[in-house]
């Protein structure tokens, strides 16, 4: 897709992340500027630019697919950042394991677990 945006903010299907950086990601022969959620249903635009933007509203798409997710990788950008205890508890209650790391490490780990056909999802904050 030449405009660098997800069609209607969503691409159905599970795809590895081919590249990251320059404020976005490449996957499924397209590129997207901004953060993304890689969920079992597909990849969608994610409207946050830092870990401070984590709210119940931006996490809702993850919880909507909780039955299909055993592990969520959160890529926090260039630096690792802490996830508030209240949000960690929500993931625990939903039965979703949580692993927080830099976006690059999260994208690489996501690709490995996806190739192993694991029930993995990723919430990746774009990096420059």
């Amino acid at each position: 897709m030449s405009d660098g945006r997800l069609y209607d903010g969503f691409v159905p299907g599970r795809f590895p992340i081919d590249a990251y950086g320059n404020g976005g990601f490449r996957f499924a022969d397209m590129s997207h500027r901004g953060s993304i959620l890689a969920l079992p249903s597909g990849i969608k635009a994610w409207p946050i630019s830092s870990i401070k933007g984590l709210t119940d509203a931006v996490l809702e798409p993850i919880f909507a697919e909780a039955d299909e997710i055993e592990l969520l990788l959160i890529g926090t950008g260039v630096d690792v950042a802490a996830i508030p205890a209240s949000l960690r508890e929500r993931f625990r209650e939903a039965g979703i394991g949580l692993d927080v790391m830099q976006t690059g490490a999260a994208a690489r780990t996501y690709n490995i677990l996806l190739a192993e056909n694991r029930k993995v999802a990723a919430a990746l904050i774009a990096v420059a």
Side-chain angles (χ1 to χ4, degrees):
M1 190 172 269
S2 61
D3 68 359
R5 295 173 185 249
L6 297 178
Y7 179 73
D8 287 338
F10 181 72
V11 175
R14 292 172 55 95
F15 300 97
I17 306 303
D18 298 321
Y20 65 92
N22 296 320
F25 298 88
R26 289 195 53 76
F27 53 88
D29 295 325
M30 56 187 352
S31 69
H32 170 74
R33 285 192 67 73
S35 302
I36 60 171
L37 289 176
L39 301 171
S41 63
I43 297 178
K44 60 178 61 186
W46 196 34
I48 73 168
S49 58
S50 79
I51 204 72
K52 294 174 187 164
L54 284 183
T55 64
D56 287 340
V58 300
L59 295 172
E60 193 50 45
I62 299 164
F63 293 112
E65 297 188 38
D67 290 346
E68 297 298 317
I69 301 170
E70 291 178 353
L71 177 64
L72 174 70
L73 304 168
I74 297 183
T76 57
V78 176
D79 298 314
V80 177
I83 303 300
S86 61
L87 290 179
R88 286 187 172 278
E89 184 58 31
R90 269 198 81 196
F91 285 105
R92 195 169 16 263
E93 289 171 359
I96 298 173
L98 192 61
D99 204 347
V100 180
M101 59 191 77
Q102 294 174 317
T103 293
R108 291 187 297 273
T109 303
Y110 173 79
N111 286 346
I112 291 167
L113 297 176
L114 184 66
E116 294 175 353
N117 205 26
R118 301 271 303 274
K119 290 177 134 184
V120 64
L124 303 172
I125 295 174
V127 296

